Amino acid sequence: MTNDYRISTKNLNLFYGDLQALKNVSIDVPNNQVTALIGPSGCGKSTFLKTLNRMNDLIPNVTITGEVFFSGLNVYKEYDIVELRKNIGMVFQKPNPFPMTIYDNIAYGPKIHGIKSKSKLDDIVEKSLRDSALWEEVKDRLKQNALGLSGGQQQRLCIARVLAVEPEVVLMDEPTSALDPISTLKIEDLIEDLKKSYTIIIVTHNMQQAARISDITAFFLNGEIVEFGNTNQLFSTPRDKRTEDYITGRFG
Amino acid sequence: MVRHSFDRELEQLQSLMVKMAGLVEESIENSILALKKQNVELARQVYENDDNIDELESRIEKVCINLIARQQPLAKDLRAISTALKIITDMERIADQAADIAELTIRMAEMKYIKPLIDIPIMADLAKKMVTKAIDSYINQDITLAREVCDGDDEVDDLFSKIVLELINIMKNNPETVEQATDFMFVVKYLERIGDHATNIAEWVVFNVTGSHDHMARKTD
């Protein structure tokens, strides 16, 4: 594995009981780029995303074979899960701020990871909120409850919360599907900015969103990767007929 | 199949393209016939037909832009629409050049031609065949035919050089022919350009089918 691909999978298979949800998935995810995972419901794209930071560990009857590497180490064998999730953060479909102040939402992670200095925490909170393009909107109400923010602001807060622990990779599972178009575009802009410092993998049902924001796209179908490559190429001249049918809306 | 209304709109776009192509073919055919027979009436018809072609071009443009805005076409749909947008420009230029030839025909109608027209009709037929083949290759998405169009361009270019030389010699020998010889010079230049536009169309047909746009015409001159 080279340094250009911090996340890689090799012959990854995942079963929910008898049902095989991922079949021999082998990809290298390039650093500091946005990789979009697309495909119809039930194709395995969210399942795949969750294997990367072991979110499937909590689901009963899940069997995983094959390998997931992060920075050259097998995430299922050679990583402490807390350390892994610090390095690979995740943003979910519905914004899920903690029921506490805006400030505490961001400071929570760094505190858990041992940062106690008030001034250092202040710095982290400000930097994370600036990086998630939320600072200007909330700087005068950091001590107010985060649940009072709008949906789009809450989602950017959740992104700030991830950034506060300085991960290398940010996983996003349909991060804008519960947001209005303006908030969606704000998040998309933010993703564009974030890729300078982070590697981003995003699951999206919105094909136009994948086309707009990603550098690389993976098309999943029935647990397999049908096509994986440059977004421009995949959306203009897909190599596989199944990709063509899916992205042009002639599926099934 | 789940995009019925989009598919219907793409079919409508295709039928507008076929209609425009038909008018363009008719224009070039008639302009050549009018030149050969010094038929002013036919030349005038070509000239007037040009407005209809221009209108059709703007109509197709609007259809394409609306489809892009409303349907977010991707892959082969996107290629079909961008190909249509590119091709109509070439078709419109071909019709313009046919109209230009018609205009010169009207101007020369009362004069006796300085020489019997032999090579010019041959060149005109070649250019017309290129256009017909280019249009057929578009309608049938036939890339073998599209490649033939590009091969034909060499012949048209060779005839262009040959006729230009001949006209220069005629002018040198008899300065009174300069005016008409210059008009013929324009005619052959228009024909040569028509060949180039046909080649462009053919190249876009190849793009539409394969996804890659290569310039296939001869690059030596």
Side-chain angles (χ1 to χ4, degrees):
Chain A
M1 180 166 350
T2 70
N3 289 332
D4 296 338
Y5 303 103
R6 202 148 301 141
I7 286 202
S8 292
T9 66
K10 265 213 181 78
N11 298 325
L12 183 66
N13 291 286
L14 184 144
F15 300 82
Y16 293 120
D18 292 333
L19 179 81
Q20 186 165 8
L22 292 178
K23 297 172 189 161
N24 279 319
V25 177
S26 301
I27 57 171
D28 296 323
V29 179
N31 297 342
N32 294 99
Q33 299 218 12
V34 178
T35 299
L37 313 180
I38 61 168
S41 294
C43 68
K45 56 192 189 298
S46 289
T47 298
F48 174 76
L49 192 76
K50 287 175 193 157
T51 59
L52 302 180
N53 71 344
R54 293 179 52 181
M55 294 294 284
N56 292 316
D57 286 13
L58 305 172
I59 302 169
N61 294 324
V62 165
T63 319
I64 294 173
T65 66
E67 292 153 317
V68 177
F69 293 104
F70 173 62
S71 289
L73 299 177
N74 187 319
V75 306
Y76 285 90
K77 291 178 180 153
E78 299 169 286
Y79 260 100
D80 165 56
I81 196 158
V82 175
E83 183 63 18
L84 179 73
R85 291 194 187 150
K86 177 189 172 300
N87 285 312
I88 306 181
M90 190 155 188
V91 178
F92 298 87
Q93 181 173 3
K94 279 176 76 177
N96 53 354
F98 304 135
M100 50 177 81
T101 68
I102 293 169
Y103 184 100
D104 288 341
N105 261 277
I106 314 285
Y108 189 84
K111 274 184 190 164
I112 282 186
H113 291 288
I115 295 173
K116 293 195 177 69
S117 147
K118 171 84 169 69
S119 68
K120 204 163 184 191
L121 285 172
D122 286 352
D123 288 347
I124 290 172
V125 168
E126 178 171 343
K127 184 175 186 307
S128 307
L129 287 170
R130 280 190 190 283
D131 288 350
S132 65
L134 190 58
W135 176 252
E136 290 303 325
E137 293 164 54
V138 301
K139 63 183 176 191
D140 300 323
R141 46 172 169 153
L142 295 175
K143 295 295 174 189
Q144 287 177 21
N145 194 302
L147 298 175
L149 296 172
S150 74
Q153 289 172 326
Q154 288 187 12
Q155 193 63 307
R156 277 177 286 149
L157 180 74
C158 293
I159 293 173
R161 196 171 62 190
V162 167
L163 304 185
V165 295
E166 299 183 321
E168 292 180 45
V169 177
V170 181
L171 310 178
M172 298 186 172
D173 194 356
E174 296 183 49
T176 64
S177 61
L179 304 182
D180 69 89
I182 302 293
S183 306
T184 297
L185 291 176
K186 279 185 186 165
I187 303 269
E188 289 183 7
D189 259 7
L190 175 59
I191 290 171
E192 179 71 28
D193 283 343
L194 291 177
K195 75 174 182 184
K196 291 178 200 118
S197 318
Y198 308 92
T199 298
I200 294 168
I201 307 174
I202 177 171
V203 164
T204 176
H205 268 300
N206 180 337
M207 228 142 24
Q208 268 67 37
Q209 179 169 68
R212 278 194 300 269
I213 64 172
S214 72
D215 303 292
I216 307 286
T217 300
F219 170 53
F220 278 77
L221 188 63
N222 301 327
E224 286 175 275
I225 290 197
V226 170
E227 193 160 342
F228 177 65
N230 179 291
T231 298
N232 278 333
Q233 186 261 319
L234 191 135
F235 283 101
S236 58
T237 45
R239 282 187 293 267
D240 195 290
K241 169 101 175 48
R242 291 167 294 174
T243 316
E244 172 98 42
D245 287 347
Y246 181 69
I247 65 173
T248 58
R250 264 65 162 225
F251 200 70
Chain B
M1 301 290 264
V2 286
R3 296 185 78 176
H4 297 306
S5 86
F6 182 34
D7 286 332
R8 211 165 38 239
E9 286 179 78
L10 284 173
E11 275 165 29
Q12 279 161 3
L13 169 64
Q14 177 70 3
S15 72
L16 285 175
M17 293 294 289
V18 171
K19 189 173 168 195
M20 183 173 175
L23 288 178
V24 170
E25 269 186 284
E26 193 184 306
S27 258
I28 176 170
E29 171 119 34
N30 287 341
S31 75
I32 290 160
L33 200 62
L35 177 78
K36 272 199 277 198
K37 307 270 184 211
Q38 294 193 283
N39 182 339
V40 176
E41 189 42 46
L42 194 57
R44 199 156 281 145
Q45 216 175 299
V46 171
Y47 199 71
E48 281 156 13
N49 195 26
D50 197 38
D51 288 343
N52 298 334
I53 293 174
D54 288 350
E55 262 169 46
L56 208 45
E57 185 200 17
S58 357
R59 202 169 137 202
I60 292 172
E61 251 169 34
K62 282 197 193 90
V63 170
C64 290
I65 290 167
N66 285 341
L67 280 171
I68 292 170
R70 292 184 19 251
Q71 299 284 2
Q72 288 94 42
L74 290 169
K76 67 174 195 282
D77 301 328
L78 181 59
R79 290 204 302 278
I81 294 167
S82 14
T83 299
L85 266 178
K86 294 297 292 186
I87 281 183
I88 54 171
T89 310
D90 284 303
M91 291 208 291
E92 189 271 337
R93 295 300 302 157
I94 290 171
D96 271 356
Q97 270 135 1
D100 289 337
I101 293 173
E103 208 182 343
L104 291 171
T105 302
I106 295 169
R107 213 163 84 174
M108 296 190 284
E110 301 302 318
M111 308 173 197
K112 187 176 181 309
Y113 284 161
I114 52 173
K115 67 185 256 326
L117 299 189
I118 299 164
D119 282 338
I120 293 181
I122 294 176
M123 183 182 175
D125 275 341
L126 283 173
K128 192 189 81 185
K129 274 197 193 115
M130 283 177 74
V131 174
T132 307
K133 273 189 189 172
I135 286 168
D136 287 350
S137 76
Y138 173 71
I139 291 168
N140 301 316
Q141 296 300 305
D142 179 344
I143 56 174
T144 314
L145 197 58
R147 293 208 164 97
E148 276 178 33
V149 175
C150 303
D151 296 341
D153 201 34
D154 292 352
E155 258 182 286
V156 170
D157 288 349
D158 291 343
L159 268 171
F160 172 70
S161 312
K162 186 182 163 202
I163 297 169
V164 166
L165 258 182
E166 193 190 350
L167 286 168
I168 289 172
N169 283 329
I170 292 175
M171 286 190 271
K172 275 185 186 161
N173 292 335
N174 182 2
E176 279 176 20
T177 61
V178 165
E179 200 178 331
Q180 204 189 87
T182 311
D183 283 348
F184 277 124
M185 204 78 101
F186 278 116
V187 168
V188 290
K189 184 64 198 170
Y190 294 143
L191 291 173
E192 188 264 339
R193 293 300 299 149
I194 286 173
D196 288 347
H197 288 299
T199 306
N200 289 348
I201 292 175
E203 286 171 353
W204 282 108
V205 170
V206 174
F207 165 80
N208 194 16
V209 177
T210 66
S212 94
H213 185 246
D214 300 320
H215 292 289
M216 295 182 297
R218 182 169 61 176
K219 294 185 179 75
T220 47
D221 43 15

